[in-house]
Amino acid sequence: MSADYDLILRGGRLVDGSGNPWFRADLAVRGDRIAAIGDLSGATAQETLDVSGLLVAPGFIDTHSHAGPGLATPELSHGEPLLAQGITTVFVNPDGGGEVDIAAQHEALLTDGLGVNVAQFVPHGAVREAILGMADRAPTPEELAAMRRLVREGMAEGAWGLSSGPFYAPGSFAATDELVALASEAAAYGGAYQSHVRDESNYSVGLLAALDEVVTVAREAGLPGVHTHIKALGPPVWGFSTAIAKRIDSARAEGVEVYADQYPYPASATSLSAALVPRWAQAGGREALLQRLENAADRARIRAELTENLARRGGADRIQFRSVASDSVLEGRLLSEVAQQWQLSPEDAALRLISSGEVGIVSFNMDESDVRALMRQPWTMTASDGGLVPLGEGVPHPRGYGTFPHKLRRYVIEEEVLTLEAALRTMTGLPAQVYRMPDRGRLALGAIADIVVLDLETLRDRATFTDPHLLSEGVVHLLVAGEAAIRESRFTGVRAGRVLRKAGASATR
């Protein structure tokens, strides 16, 4: 007699992703789908796992990930740092950066197999650069039409929406009407708009005005808008979480579909140039910036604004280097320490580093009360904003290795900022709702069997800001489309991930 199912998970505590309380049940998988939930004591399966005492939940959806380039390499396509967190799906090309050619990226991601599922955004900044380069001006009608065409083509290839980063050059050179026009193309395919907002502090328009821009784009383009990695960055805006929440609640009360995502840390990560160099100095690209730094008047102006931007970030002792192209020995050290060693001011040390090559930083710029307040909002999802780099390369932000277990261990189990069910909803059902993924993010009949089984006693992140290349613990089993990527706390080597195409895309792959 043939078995009823391929796999049965028996006796677990199921959290279905909706936010509802957990319940005890068996869960059966057939092929890549959930086939039954309930008392399956009389059913048979090719394999049965006793998960009594463990928690069964939908696989986690990371709505903002920089793992795309790594996943497209043979060395990192396994995605093990992601799998160890319980992540089964990542959204790539965030912040307006990444690949414009969605079809080509799709193929590259599949070349060596995928450990996790990948959903793609069309990145506004990269689209703009493809048509206008690094020019600080509005597009001509012909250029805007070309940009619209690129967004349309990307959406037709299966992208899930438009990402933007008007904080960064060249996205910062775009006016709101440009973002609305391109988001409208994504809306035509049922996509969403996710934005690293124009200002997370008081750099330019201010934090609240930057949030208002997301609301404007969502309203005028007619699609969900997401304020990604939401935060109040730097002492000038600490305490703004209350005003942020009121603004989003007000927009939603008016019928504008606005959400946020957040990584559960008080530190962000970006480049030293993005954090400190004014955008006017970056117009024209890196060579133009270097030329301005050679001009005494321009350098003095850049240095003066850099001083203000450093203060916005809380000072030189809150800037830690995660990658330094010119001198890897500096990785993991503070800007204040390096400046003292070089007998330079922090400003001059920063300019020396910026002139020497690319520098990535971790910036300790948030207040924990804001982190907790924004985490509690019913419209806030969980996202890592993490990358995927070879083991031992640089000193990256630990969020790439620990976001999801960190949130559950610290903010649920230890500090009780959220209930377990509410936190898991931010990682599963809510992202699936926002991005219109009807067969993911829930434990439900017919849903794709992306499933994580957790031991809450051992669940923890191990990555730290000074030792970030440490895998999380506590994921006992992990299924990606019904196949075991982790079994009995060990990686199986199975690469069952897919590049997910949004329903309605024109091509079939």
Side-chain angles (χ1 to χ4, degrees), residues 269-289:
T270 187
S271 72
L272 190 62
S273 293
L276 301 183
V277 177
R279 294 300 173 261
W280 65 264
Q282 298 181 43
R286 178 166 174 78
E287 288 305 314
L289 169 61

Side-chain angles (χ1 to χ4, degrees), residues 240-329:
F240 273 42
S241 54
T242 299
I244 292 169
K246 286 182 178 178
R247 252 176 166 81
I248 292 181
D249 286 340
S250 177
R252 292 187 61 83
E254 294 172 10
V256 185
E257 194 174 349
V258 186
Y259 304 90
D261 63 42
Q262 178 198 45
Y263 48 82
Y265 297 90
S268 62
T270 187
S271 72
L272 190 62
S273 293
L276 301 183
V277 177
R279 294 300 173 261
W280 65 264
Q282 298 181 43
R286 178 166 174 78
E287 288 305 314
L289 169 61
L290 294 178
Q291 289 176 14
R292 292 184 181 105
L293 289 173
E294 291 296 320
N295 178 281
D298 284 344
R299 185 182 183 90
R301 182 182 170 195
I302 291 169
R303 190 184 187 283
E305 294 189 40
L306 187 149
T307 298
E308 295 177 1
N309 290 338
L310 186 58
R312 286 187 174 95
R313 299 240 163 200
D317 58 354
R318 288 178 175 267
I319 302 292
Q320 177 182 304
F321 300 121
R322 59 189 172 99
S323 61
V324 182
S326 62
D327 189 356
S328 62
V329 173

